[in-house]
Amino acid sequence: MLTHIVFWKLKDHAEGADKATNLARAKALLESCAELVPGTHRFEVATAQPGHECTYDLVLYSQFEDAQALAAYQNHPDHVAIKPFIGAIRLERQCMDYTYPAP
């Protein structure tokens, strides 16, 4: 099982909208990718909770059967299509992929 986690910190204003609007749109776009490819076991998209000190605004926590399933997700046309918008609204991005337990 391969875990793929991505965090985004968003700009206060981008693409003609404020952070809250872009955050909601980005979350919906990511959620639309949840069932794009076979081998996806878990796909959670969440936003930072109001009132909590957080360093990032949006997170994707996902698990895939293997590296091939993750690659299929990353290269799927529907996923590729949302990258320009998310790239335009993000200030920072962090990503980590890992297997557990390690092989």
Side-chain angles (χ1 to χ4, degrees):
M1 188 79 62
L2 179 63
T3 300
H4 173 69
I5 304 173
V6 186
F7 290 92
W8 293 270
K9 183 174 184 80
L10 303 189
K11 297 174 183 175
D12 288 333
H13 195 273
E15 297 296 291
D18 64 9
K19 183 189 278 190
T21 301
N22 285 334
L23 184 60
R25 181 174 175 204
K27 184 177 186 289
L29 287 169
L30 285 166
E31 289 173 336
S32 74
C33 295
E35 297 181 19
L36 291 180
V37 298
T40 303
H41 291 273
R42 188 172 190 161
F43 200 94
E44 299 175 11
V45 181
T47 58
Q49 293 295 306
H52 293 275
E53 186 176 332
C54 298
T55 56
Y56 287 89
D57 301 304
L58 181 65
V59 63
L60 166 64
Y61 179 88
S62 53
Q63 292 182 315
F64 295 88
E65 184 68 32
D66 51 29
Q68 291 77 21
L70 174 58
Y73 161 72
Q74 290 176 322
N75 294 305
H76 191 283
D78 291 352
H79 176 253
V80 172
I82 71 172
K83 287 182 178 184
F85 173 73
I86 293 179
I89 65 167
R90 75 174 165 93
L91 186 61
E92 297 177 26
R93 177 184 178 273
Q94 297 292 323
C95 177
M96 184 172 175
D97 297 334
Y98 65 92
T99 57
Y100 186 82

